[in-house]
Amino acid sequence: MSAQAVSGRAAATYEPRRDARRIRGAIWRGLFFGATALAVVLLGMLLWSILKPGIPWLSWHLITNMPSRIPEKAGMNSAIWGSLWLVSGSGLIAFILGLGTAIYLEEYADDNRWTRFIHTNISNLAGVPSIVYGLLGLVVFVDWMHMGRSILAGALTMGLLILPIVVISSREAIRAVPLSLRQASYALGATKWQTVSAHVLPAAFPGILTGMILSMSRAIGETAPLIVVGGASQVLYRPDSPFSSFMVMPLQIFNWTGRPQEEFEQLAAAAIIVLMVILLIMNSVAIYLRQHFSKKSRW
Amino acid sequence: MSTRLTYENQIQELRDLVVTMASMVDKAIARSIDALRTQNVTLAKDVRKADKEINRLRWEGEEKSITLIATQAPMAGDLRRITAGLEIFSELERMGDHAAGIAKIVIETADEPLLKSLVDIPRMAQVAREMLDESITAFMNQDEELARAVVLRDDEIDDINDHVYRELLTYMISDPTTINRATHLLWAAHNVERIGDRITNICERTVYTITGQFEELSGGRKKRQRAKLEASANGTSG
Amino acid sequence: MAIQTPPLQAPVVSTEPSVAPGEPEAALIALKGVNVHYGTFHAVSDVTLDVGSNSITAFIGPSGCGKSTVLRSINRMNDLVPSARVEGQILYHNQDLNARSVDPVEVRRRIGMVFQRPNPFPKSIHENVAWGAKINGYKGNMDELVERCLRQAALWDEVKDKLKESGLSLSGGQQQRLCIARALATGPDVILLDEPASALDPISTLKIEELLRELKTTYTIIIVTHNMQQAARVSDETAFFSLNDQRQGVLVEKGRTDKIFTNPDDPRTEGYITGRFG
């Protein structure tokens, strides 16, 4: 249908050039698709490079056994437990400190240069290389506070590492709660704490949970700080107290890749698969929780 | 530029309508008195026909006013003027009827010679016409002083009317054969006097639109009459 | 410091010319010389007006002339804006709400507020109404209170079978009535409404107006509205705000609604009402 058929006048003043625009649109679409395809392919290749050597070594032994010098007998039980303890500990620390900080900065603190300075610094801390946290942990927790290379020291170190993420995402979640909700609460004669606890936090909870998911996913995979704070030695038992030494999955993987035998390389690949599965389970649980709470306090 | 151009235009339409109608009524008064003076039946018939147009204008004015009220929600001063306008359209229409009444008298007394050459009744009509012009001006310009002044002039009409009444009465007493024609003339004078009263009503309305208070206005004569009545009721001599 | 329980009858003969002579009217709320600043910006200048009990007073005026600001000063909601500074006296039962010693939390229990966009809590209908009462330590039967408030808000029949459902599942008009019920639950004697119907359709608007007329027998109501017809329909007294030459909000005229809309004193009021300016 030509432009002429629609309106003689329109044809005189407009040049739609629809074909040219359509082609340009198609080109961009192709480029975006290409980028996606490339990403998918690279990820696929990455996965395949892990799955191929790893799958044959997947077994219950891997999960239930302790590490050993014999590849067939080696397992990552201590590492799994260590990771779980560590992630829970650091998550707890980061949650308490981080949420508290976010609530204070968003709800109680004045908006002045000082608080904005604090916020900028917290954001910057998120970008500090993790090894720096490891060194910090070594000096302060392991040495000065005499915690030794214990889970407590590790949890505190990792807690600090993920703290900025929790603070920032919690702040965003709290900030996203609309003013109208708070005003409704205040107008009924509620105090600030009543407003925050009964309305703001429940409404912000999905967002806060998202922040926690992100941060704990990071914590479970970080290696460098734990090399410094946890040590790279063998640990052949499950941790039984916050003060015991520990092994975590990424470290175990790191150890095994350092071994000369080829079997250990494949074992490492299998361990990576286990790590990814655990990560997937963690994320799914958290996403499920977030959906559940989202529905309840949808605003 | 006003924020309500359509509204202002609609109000202006109503104002124009009032002015048009008033000039038609003025013409009707002039022509009917003319017909009376010259016993011109054709002219009288014209006046009666033209009255239909005056009636039509009244309905047009009412319709437009009501539509304006429904669609534009006029408030305060606008509202007072528009509701006053409704009354004014009504009064003007009745004034037209009075003029048509005079024309009817002309037609009915066509075959009888005039009792006397008419001087007073035309004088009454002239005053009435002047009052009409001033009262409409007062309304359009929201001139309170002018409106009150017009009301006082109603005395003039009433005075002339009294004079006409006594003169015609004399005629009727001295020569009963003139009764028919005299009564017709009385009736014509009465119509003009009523026109004057209606103009007074218009002025009352005008004052209301300016002050926002209803106030009954009357010529000095009526005031004196009322005072006399009250005085005699109180037992003092007038 | 909490507000003292008000004396039972404290009639204050208002000097407002708008009050019909010979009728003593208790001025429940009296603003005297109220000025509001946001930082260096002088937003509202020298507002003085009375509000009688069991009446509906409407604040009208063009956008940005301070009517909402003045309204929010009455229940100390401006305290939530860090840069806001309210000067002057806001007398409520003859006590100055603006004094430093007065606790805004207590003020807001006694003077409720309904906002422009319905903002029920993302909780059940029952909880929406009950929460305000709970946090203020209501000791009586909660279910009874909830029912009473929902009835007063003309919402009970529509929601009595679904009190456990979320407040957000209601329509806009219903949500706003829920917000009204919620405000009633803390036992106020004054209700402030900031353009309560501007986000609603015409039928819901009329329902709310009807509701306000009923509530007036028990409560004192102040409503800010952009809609002049609404102010004319619903209120007993109308206060017209506008901007002065320094672009500060000022009270131009206040009086009985029928007078303001048929024969206002101030030409600025007439200009606004007839739509001859902004």
Side-chain angles (χ1 to χ4, degrees):
Chain A
M1 181 175 86
S2 71
Q4 208 89 18
V6 179
S7 153
R9 210 157 32 146
T13 46
Y14 293 100
E15 256 185 46
R17 289 194 303 170
R18 288 197 299 277
D19 291 332
R21 281 151 64 191
R22 215 179 304 131
I23 290 175
R24 205 170 331 146
I27 291 177
W28 279 107
R29 187 174 162 197
L31 286 173
F32 294 139
F33 178 74
T36 315
L38 189 64
V40 170
V41 163
L42 285 173
L43 274 172
M45 281 169 57
L46 195 65
L47 270 178
W48 183 243
S49 71
I50 303 291
L51 292 174
K52 185 157 182 291
I55 288 185
W57 285 88
L58 284 177
S59 67
W60 282 115
H61 299 304
L62 184 62
I63 298 174
T64 54
N65 284 6
M66 293 300 169
S68 122
R69 268 172 304 178
I70 304 164
E72 288 74 15
K73 290 225 187 94
M76 50 192 300
N77 190 275
S78 53
I80 293 174
W81 280 105
S83 276
L84 288 178
W85 273 71
L86 189 81
V87 164
S88 312
S90 51
L92 192 66
I93 292 169
F95 182 73
I96 295 172
L97 279 182
L99 188 57
T101 306
I103 292 175
Y104 178 75
L105 287 176
E106 270 308 300
E107 293 289 330
Y108 290 87
D110 296 328
D111 184 26
N112 54 30
R113 260 184 317 179
W114 180 237
T115 53
R116 268 173 277 153
F117 175 70
I118 291 178
H119 180 79
T120 314
N121 273 316
I122 293 178
S123 307
N124 288 339
L125 283 174
V128 167
S130 49
I131 188 77
V132 174
Y133 284 94
L135 293 171
L136 174 76
L138 182 66
V139 170
V140 174
F141 301 125
V142 174
D143 215 8
W144 285 357
M145 294 173 73
H146 302 295
M147 291 180 192
R149 286 196 157 82
S150 58
I151 288 192
L152 188 60
L156 282 166
T157 308
M158 296 307 282
L160 286 184
L161 176 73
I162 62 175
L163 186 63
I165 307 174
V166 174
V167 170
I168 292 172
S169 55
S170 300
R171 257 195 108 166
E172 289 299 315
I174 291 172
R175 200 179 292 184
V177 175
L179 185 63
S180 59
L181 202 60
R182 293 169 222 259
Q183 285 189 336
S185 175
Y186 285 124
L188 290 170
T191 59
K192 181 167 258 188
W193 172 241
Q194 285 169 326
T195 301
V196 168
S197 59
H199 301 296
V200 176
L201 285 182
F205 193 60
I208 294 172
L209 205 50
T210 306
M212 289 303 301
I213 297 171
L214 281 172
S215 57
M216 281 161 73
S217 303
R218 180 143 179 223
I220 205 173
E222 279 289 343
T223 322
L226 295 169
I227 296 178
V228 176
V229 171
S233 53
Q234 290 263 61
V235 167
L236 296 167
Y237 48 82
R238 281 190 236 157
D240 50 9
S241 92
F243 289 101
S244 44
S245 344
F246 64 98
M247 172 58 65
V248 290
M249 288 190 281
L251 257 186
Q252 186 64 71
I253 294 166
F254 178 62
N255 281 349
W256 281 342
T257 54
R259 296 280 176 85
Q261 297 101 314
E262 202 193 300
E263 288 88 346
F264 277 110
E265 253 180 60
Q266 294 157 353
L267 213 53
I272 291 175
I273 296 174
V274 172
L275 174 57
M276 286 198 315
V277 166
I278 293 182
L279 202 57
L280 214 63
I281 294 173
M282 269 173 61
N283 277 4
S284 306
V285 167
I287 289 174
Y288 166 76
L289 283 175
R290 187 179 66 188
Q291 290 287 73
H292 177 74
F293 284 109
S294 221
K295 248 181 289 162
K296 273 178 73 184
S297 43
R298 173 180 54 95
W299 39 260
Chain B
M1 184 181 111
S2 165
T3 47
R4 300 184 71 179
L5 207 53
T6 314
Y7 174 55
E8 303 260 0
N9 288 344
Q10 286 175 340
I11 292 186
Q12 188 58 40
E13 264 181 50
L14 285 174
R15 288 167 65 96
D16 292 343
L17 212 52
V18 168
V19 169
T20 306
M21 215 174 148
S23 74
M24 286 177 74
V25 166
D26 178 70
K27 196 160 150 201
I29 298 173
R31 292 190 339 160
S32 65
I33 295 297
D34 218 24
L36 188 66
R37 242 179 349 100
T38 59
Q39 289 195 292
N40 185 337
V41 173
T42 328
L43 187 57
K45 286 201 176 136
D46 263 351
V47 169
R48 289 190 68 77
K49 202 156 67 155
D51 191 49
K52 289 200 179 45
E53 180 64 12
I54 293 179
N55 293 349
R56 192 192 68 78
L57 280 189
R58 181 243 176 129
W59 294 122
E60 188 181 322
E62 285 217 6
E63 249 187 72
K64 283 202 159 93
S65 301
I66 290 175
T67 303
L68 187 68
I69 292 172
T71 57
Q72 299 282 359
M75 291 289 197
D78 289 345
L79 183 62
R80 298 199 302 275
R81 283 185 286 275
I82 290 168
T83 47
L86 284 170
E87 285 283 325
I88 291 174
F89 286 127
S90 170
E91 297 286 0
L92 285 173
E93 192 252 329
R94 300 226 185 95
M95 288 197 270
D97 286 347
H98 286 307
I102 296 174
K104 187 159 176 231
I105 292 170
V106 174
I107 297 169
E108 280 177 4
T109 59
D111 37 4
E112 297 171 337
L114 270 183
L115 191 56
K116 63 186 277 286
S117 81
L118 298 179
V119 164
D120 293 320
I121 295 181
R123 217 162 29 104
M124 275 170 76
Q126 181 58 30
V127 174
R129 286 175 65 197
E130 284 166 18
M131 281 169 67
L132 176 61
D133 180 55
E134 283 169 3
S135 69
I136 298 296
T137 306
F139 177 69
M140 289 295 169
N141 298 344
Q142 296 280 281
D143 187 341
E144 185 180 347
E145 222 178 283
L146 183 57
R148 290 184 188 274
V150 170
V151 171
L152 291 176
R153 278 197 81 182
D154 194 41
D155 278 357
E156 283 180 48
I157 295 186
D158 288 343
D159 288 340
I160 302 175
N161 194 32
D162 277 352
H163 177 78
V164 167
Y165 178 68
R166 272 174 297 198
E167 197 186 334
L168 288 173
L169 209 55
T170 317
Y171 266 93
M172 285 194 279
I173 291 174
S174 55
D175 181 1
T177 59
T178 59
I179 288 180
N180 195 29
R181 282 177 289 162
T183 24
H184 276 122
L185 284 179
L186 270 180
W187 198 244
H190 176 75
N191 270 316
V192 178
E193 193 257 329
R194 289 298 293 138
I195 288 177
D197 285 345
R198 299 212 178 273
I199 295 172
T200 306
N201 289 347
I202 292 179
C203 293
E204 263 179 17
R205 284 277 154 190
T206 301
V207 169
Y208 164 69
T209 64
I210 298 165
T211 63
Q213 317 277 358
F214 284 106
E215 199 185 317
E216 259 207 58
L217 301 175
S218 47
R221 209 176 102 114
K222 290 203 171 69
K223 280 207 181 83
R224 288 194 298 276
Q225 274 182 342
R226 215 172 296 142
K228 225 201 260 184
L229 234 61
E230 278 171 28
S232 62
N234 289 345
T236 49
S237 63
Chain C
M1 179 199 106
I3 296 179
Q4 322 297 335
T5 324
L8 218 44
Q9 275 299 348
V12 170
V13 178
S14 166
T15 52
E16 276 288 323
S18 62
V19 174
E23 212 181 86
E25 196 174 272
L28 184 61
I29 292 185
L31 272 60
K32 294 201 197 300
V34 171
N35 282 275
V36 182
H37 299 255
Y38 289 115
T40 52
F41 173 54
H42 192 177
V44 170
S45 171
D46 206 34
V47 168
T48 298
L49 58 84
D50 283 356
V51 174
S53 57
N54 297 115
S55 67
I56 301 181
T57 301
F59 288 0
I60 61 170
S63 304
C65 63
K67 22 186 224 298
S68 285
T69 306
V70 171
L71 191 77
R72 279 157 191 256
S73 308
I74 298 175
N75 68 344
R76 299 280 298 262
M77 285 297 274
N78 279 324
D79 286 19
L80 302 175
V81 179
S83 61
R85 200 173 76 242
V86 177
E87 294 159 354
Q89 288 188 308
I90 300 173
L91 298 175
Y92 167 68
H93 291 293
N94 285 319
Q95 287 181 293
D96 185 11
L97 299 179
N98 205 23
R100 277 185 189 287
S101 53
V102 169
D103 180 13
V105 165
E106 176 65 14
V107 172
R108 293 176 200 139
R109 181 179 77 73
R110 309 280 300 276
I111 300 180
M113 181 170 258
V114 175
F115 298 87
Q116 186 173 347
R117 295 203 165 280
N119 54 3
F121 298 131
K123 298 182 192 290
S124 71
I125 293 173
H126 178 99
E127 190 60 16
N128 258 283
V129 181
W131 190 77
K134 252 193 266 179
I135 58 163
N136 281 299
Y138 183 66
K139 291 282 184 278
N141 182 326
M142 194 57 84
D143 288 338
E144 213 178 82
L145 177 70
V146 169
E147 178 174 341
R148 190 163 20 108
C149 293
L150 287 171
R151 277 193 193 281
Q152 280 189 309
L155 191 59
W156 175 250
D157 288 327
E158 292 167 60
V159 302
K160 62 180 181 228
D161 299 323
K162 49 177 180 167
L163 291 176
K164 293 273 175 278
E165 285 186 29
S166 166
L168 296 167
S169 66
L170 300 173
S171 74
Q174 289 173 322
Q175 282 187 16
Q176 195 63 306
R177 277 179 280 153
L178 179 61
C179 292
I180 293 176
R182 177 177 70 181
L184 297 177
T186 61
D189 56 355
V190 178
I191 302 180
L192 309 176
L193 299 110
D194 196 348
E195 301 196 42
S198 62
L200 303 178
D201 63 272
I203 304 283
S204 303
T205 300
L206 289 174
K207 279 195 193 159
I208 300 243
E209 288 175 17
E210 204 44 53
L211 176 59
L212 291 179
R213 269 191 282 273
E214 276 169 37
L215 288 176
K216 160 176 113 160
T217 54
T218 324
Y219 302 92
T220 301
I221 294 172
I222 306 179
I223 171 171
V224 166
T225 177
H226 259 144
N227 182 340
M228 274 198 297
Q229 306 311 318
Q230 178 172 87
R233 280 193 296 264
V234 117
S235 65
D236 304 307
E237 299 259 332
T238 297
F240 169 58
F241 291 82
S242 184
L243 294 174
N244 63 10
D245 298 323
Q246 290 95 6
R247 307 210 62 79
Q248 299 158 346
V250 291
L251 173 66
V252 172
E253 187 176 345
K254 177 181 177 285
R256 287 208 345 247
T257 296
D258 54 2
K259 174 163 154 61
I260 293 275
F261 284 94
T262 58
N263 192 13
D265 290 329
D266 196 298
R268 289 173 288 176
T269 314
E270 172 117 16
Y272 179 71
I273 286 174
T274 56
R276 261 23 174 285
F277 85 82

